[in-house]
Amino acid sequence: MKDSIHVRLVCLGILAGVFILARHGEAALGGTAASVTADRTALAAVHRATTTRSAYTVQEYQSDSTTVREYVSSAGVVFAVAWNGRVNPDLTTLLGSYAGEYQAALRKTARKRGLRRQEVQSDQVVVEKWGHMRNLQGRAYSPALIPSGVTIDEIK
């Protein structure tokens, strides 16, 4: 009986480890261009458009409530994410390996009543959110990953 419980706990631990590793494999910001497909699947969204600029490509997809754009450099790295819609998307998925750093910086950021714009900045990632109910927008980027010649104003 004790062996059966022990085997079950070991199997549960292995499954939890596989799940955690799979989540890291979905890394969007800082991830490869292939992570865009994983993000689209995780958010239950459909591809809407691909726009090519000289230094990057924008992959746009839409779920029931939000449109997300992922900016991929010519080197194949996702350097920014932007969104707009009725709700904010799951940033854990879109920020990938930067999600923990964002959460830590968010906890240190003082809340201001009535504020419709929020900026959370850490050493490696910047997340900006603004708007009002049913019209929320935002963007996240890693300043170190932005290709040369690309300005932050292009991320929208």
Side-chain angles (χ1 to χ4, degrees), residues 16-51:
V18 168
F19 177 75
I20 290 169
L21 290 175
R23 294 287 301 163
H24 285 284
E26 294 174 358
L29 188 62
T32 66
S35 70
V36 174
T37 302
D39 295 339
R40 188 174 63 229
T41 301
L43 297 174
V46 295
H47 181 262
R48 193 168 164 191
T50 300
T51 307

Side-chain angles (χ1 to χ4, degrees), residues 34-115:
S35 70
V36 174
T37 302
D39 295 339
R40 188 174 63 229
T41 301
L43 297 174
V46 295
H47 181 262
R48 193 168 164 191
T50 300
T51 307
T52 302
R53 304 280 188 224
S54 61
Y56 60 89
T57 300
V58 181
Q59 295 287 336
E60 183 176 294
Y61 48 91
Q62 184 166 14
S63 69
D64 289 341
S65 57
T66 307
T67 299
V68 175
R69 291 168 297 285
E70 293 194 86
Y71 292 73
V72 182
S73 71
S74 57
V77 176
V78 178
F79 64 92
V81 179
W83 64 89
N84 64 294
R86 291 181 288 162
V87 297
N88 286 315
D90 178 8
L91 291 182
T92 303
T93 298
L94 295 177
L95 296 179
S97 62
Y98 295 96
E101 187 176 331
Y102 163 69
Q103 291 296 332
L106 181 62
R107 285 190 290 272
K108 294 178 183 175
T109 304
R111 295 187 67 135
K112 297 177 182 172
R113 281 187 95 148
L115 184 67

